[in-house]
Amino acid sequence: MLTKILLTILVIAGAWFLLLKRTRLIQPQVINIADKPFGSSLWRRYLLTGIFVVLGLGLLSYSVWYWRDQHRVVTVKIVSPNAANNGEYRVRKGDISDSKMVTLDGIHIRFSTQERLAIIETD
């Protein structure tokens, strides 16, 4: 959730900066080169570019980490009050939801509210 909020703020800030730059280009202005410091616009441009690159790399690395975590294979042990229905299954982390899971073999398993899940991470 926090990632979505930060990404939304990043997109809004980027659009805002582009619109400011566009309105400056549309309005004709008389610029005295001697009055304007040369390095300030370059500094601002490189700083904004650097910030966007760092945020993009951070978002990309988080996405790759999340994808790898969701595809990690774990062993799930279903423990039910009825001892005859216990079982162990190998599933991907992302395939486990509130009331069902899909094993590596493609078997869809639904469990009741009385059953408990024990997730054992394997390397």
Side-chain angles (χ1 to χ4, degrees):
M1 182 67 178
L2 181 62
T3 307
K4 291 179 184 179
I5 292 172
L6 291 176
L7 183 61
T8 304
I9 291 171
L10 175 68
V11 169
I12 290 171
W16 183 64
F17 283 120
L18 286 175
L19 287 175
L20 283 179
K21 185 177 181 181
R22 187 177 195 181
T23 56
R24 278 190 251 141
L25 292 176
I26 293 173
Q27 299 172 354
Q29 296 178 355
V30 177
I31 300 173
N32 189 358
I33 296 175
D35 292 342
K36 186 177 180 183
F38 179 68
S40 69
S41 65
L42 287 177
W43 170 254
R44 194 175 330 163
R45 184 183 320 159
Y46 288 129
L47 180 67
L48 287 176
T49 303
I51 288 172
F52 282 120
V53 166
V54 168
L55 287 174
L57 287 175
L59 182 64
L60 179 66
S61 63
Y62 175 76
S63 298
V64 169
W65 172 81
Y66 183 76
W67 180 83
R68 286 188 67 202
D69 187 54
Q70 291 299 307
H71 283 80
R72 180 176 291 163
V73 176
V74 295
T75 302
V76 176
K77 184 176 183 180
I78 299 177
V79 180
S80 67
N82 188 1
N85 293 337
N86 292 343
E88 283 192 11
Y89 303 97
R90 292 180 49 81
V91 298
R92 288 187 183 92
K93 246 183 170 179
D95 291 338
I96 302 171
S97 66
D98 291 338
S99 62
K100 67 178 181 174
M101 68 180 177
V102 180
T103 65
L104 292 177
D105 300 328
I107 300 170
H108 293 264
I109 298 173
R110 294 187 185 271
F111 27 87
S112 68
T113 56
Q114 296 175 351
E115 295 173 333
R116 291 183 304 146
L117 296 180
I119 299 174
I120 305 164
E121 298 215 12
T122 56
D123 292 330

